[in-house]
Amino acid sequence: QVQLLESGGGSVQAGQSLTLACTASGDVTNRACMAWLRQGPRNERVVVASSGIRATSGETNLAASAKGRFAVSRADTDNTLILHMSSLNPDDTAMYICAATPAGQRFRICPLGRGNYDLWGQGTHVNVSV
């Protein structure tokens, strides 16, 4: 059974950076993409970045709101997706949740639509203060 475990959340001041990591454990060979979503005070989950679990399983995709400040990288050795966040502001305060696409689905570009993901981690909270 595949599980997603997030780490790296915390409290920072505006303008600072933070790095989050999501590691998938279990057999992920049939899953193509992982993503980072954030859930704000209205509880809506929005994808900020996605990437292939492996180098060949899907291209990286960034939401418009993340371009210029966020980036993703991948550690292939342990199925880890890393979210690098910079120039954080209070609007970035949210629960950041990792997700994976369903087994058997293939993507050339990893999707940004929340409905494309069916496996979720517990999340890690990020708080940005002024």
Side-chain angles (χ1 to χ4, degrees):
Q1 183 176 355
V2 178
Q3 292 185 317
L4 303 175
L5 182 62
E6 303 95 335
S7 62
S11 296
V12 297
Q13 292 186 320
Q16 291 186 327
S17 300
L18 200 61
T19 298
L20 308 180
C22 173
T23 298
S25 62
D27 185 1
V28 295
T29 54
N30 285 330
R31 293 182 183 263
C33 299
M34 289 169 63
W36 279 102
L37 298 84
R38 63 184 182 187
Q39 180 172 311
R42 297 178 194 152
N43 289 328
E44 181 179 332
R45 292 184 180 183
V46 178
V47 178
V48 295
S50 60
S51 185
I53 294 176
R54 297 164 296 281
T56 57
S57 65
E59 294 181 13
T60 297
N61 204 355
L62 286 175
S65 61
K67 291 180 180 178
R69 296 191 302 126
F70 293 5
V72 289
S73 61
R74 185 181 54 246
D76 292 340
T77 55
D78 58 358
N79 298 320
T80 296
L81 186 67
I82 301 166
L83 181 65
H84 308 270
M85 304 185 293
S86 62
S87 301
L88 288 164
N89 61 67
D91 289 339
D92 296 314
T93 294
M95 179 70 76
Y96 285 74
I97 302 166
C98 183
T101 50
Q105 291 193 7
R106 297 292 178 260
F107 301 90
R108 185 177 69 83
I109 301 173
C110 287
L112 293 178
R114 177 191 175 281
N116 290 286
Y117 296 87
D118 74 337
L119 180 66
W120 307 90
Q122 293 296 311
T124 184
H125 195 260
V126 172
N127 181 65
V128 184
S129 58
V130 297

